[in-house]
Amino acid sequence: MSDKNLVIALTKGRILDEVLPLLEQAGIVPAEDIFKSRKLIFACNLPHVQLMVIRGSDVPTYVELGSADIGIAGKDMIMEYGSRGFYEPLDLEIAGCRLMSAAPIGAKLDSPRLRVASKFVNVAKNYFYEQGRQVDIIKLSGALELAPFMGLCDCIVDVVDTGNTLRANGLEPRDHIADVSTRVIVNRASMKIKHDLVQSLLQRLQQAVTANKKTSTAS
Ligand code: ATP
Ligand code: PRP
């Protein structure tokens, strides 16, 4: 990383849809249509800024290890990564949802050892440990809502927004583990060495978040 360049790691998928307009409001526009390209790194209108597009679960790794200066990822991914190796200065207040446990409707979770399936294995382990529950954690990568129905587990830990996916699969929300939204994270060294570049971007993003909030309360 050169001292004068900024590498921003973006989460692909639903966060990307919502974050590109915010970046544009903050003065950062990719040089080409990210959605039409197979590239993973993009130049933009500001010659010193590059945008990487990767999975949310990899964003904290790139930022902590310094290959990206700034990352944009869901709080769920940041909690799962579990490190304090970067700063988390800004909540972009987009892609809001909740990390929850969920179980088949009416199921009694009273066995002495719960089988919990999740892609958030650290979040699940820590949560049930704090509750004093003995658990076996089963790592899955997606379609978690199928797992209890197939007898793989007693309950799951996943993100929930409308609750439609849970309902459609005969599950009900149980414990609310954490609120999730999209956060900006910053490499510790970049925060010092590239202070002005980083602060100026954070300020512009904060202004965009505030402006959007005003528009949505007005309408
Ligand atoms: P990966 O691509 O690594 O498998 P994913 O499929 O969970 O991850 P997305 O579904 O695009 O990726 O979600 C990206 C982020 O958006 C999540 O980390 C979370 O913060 C947020 N998110 C996930 N599901 C929802 C939802 N239903 N509503 C709102 N935000 C969500
Ligand atoms: C996410 C999440 C849930 C669903 C919750 O899935 O894994 O399955 O959204 O949203 P809801 O409460 O509004 O139904 P996504 O659509 O991103 O698919 P994937 O995780 O399987 O890729």
Side-chain angles (χ1 to χ4, degrees):
M1 284 191 293
S2 142
D3 285 8
K4 296 193 173 59
N5 290 338
L6 262 194
V7 178
I8 306 176
L10 304 177
T11 295
K12 67 181 187 160
R14 72 179 76 222
I15 287 182
L16 191 60
D17 296 337
E18 294 192 53
V19 91
L20 286 178
L22 274 180
L23 282 173
E24 186 170 346
Q25 283 172 270
I28 294 178
V29 182
E32 61 187 289
D33 186 342
I34 290 183
F35 297 106
K36 290 196 176 138
S37 174
R38 295 290 300 161
K39 279 193 204 165
L40 300 170
I41 188 152
F42 296 85
C44 67
N45 60 320
L46 304 178
H48 63 283
V49 176
Q50 283 184 301
L51 302 174
M52 297 168 48
V53 181
I54 57 177
R55 296 182 84 150
S57 48
D58 291 333
V59 168
T61 310
Y62 271 89
V63 174
E64 178 165 26
L65 300 182
S67 297
D69 301 292
I70 290 180
I72 293 183
K75 183 69 178 174
D76 49 338
M77 298 299 176
I78 296 168
M79 285 174 68
E80 178 61 16
Y81 187 75
S83 145
R84 305 209 172 275
F86 39 72
Y87 298 106
E88 189 190 310
L90 184 58
D91 183 349
L92 294 179
E93 301 181 33
I94 55 173
C97 51
R98 287 149 287 147
L99 266 167
M100 301 200 72
S101 66
I105 293 166
K108 286 203 174 73
L109 301 181
D110 50 10
S111 70
R113 256 190 114 78
L114 269 188
R115 293 169 308 147
V116 183
S118 188
K119 56 183 177 184
F120 304 101
V121 290
N122 296 322
V123 171
K125 208 185 311 168
N126 293 340
Y127 178 73
F128 285 105
Y129 178 78
E130 281 165 17
Q131 303 297 307
R133 297 282 319 241
Q134 304 254 28
V135 288
D136 291 317
I137 305 284
I138 301 160
K139 164 90 177 159
L140 288 178
S141 307
L144 297 173
E145 293 85 353
L146 186 60
F149 179 69
M150 298 310 291
L152 188 74
C153 61
D154 303 305
C155 65
I156 62 171
V157 168
D158 197 7
V159 294
V160 178
D161 179 20
T162 61
N164 288 341
T165 314
L166 292 184
R167 275 189 293 279
N169 291 285
L171 302 177
E172 62 186 6
R174 295 287 174 97
D175 301 351
H176 180 168
I177 299 175
D179 285 322
V180 170
S181 57
T182 303
R183 310 297 167 94
V184 178
I185 57 175
V186 181
N187 173 267
R188 284 178 177 271
S190 305
M191 191 67 119
K192 291 198 188 83
I193 298 163
K194 306 182 183 185
H195 181 265
D196 292 353
L197 277 180
V198 170
Q199 286 305 329
S200 141
L201 176 61
L202 289 174
Q203 249 171 37
R204 282 178 284 133
L205 280 172
Q206 175 67 74
Q207 280 162 4
V209 172
T210 308
N212 288 353
K213 227 182 338 195
K214 277 192 190 137
T215 318
S216 68
T217 35
S219 60

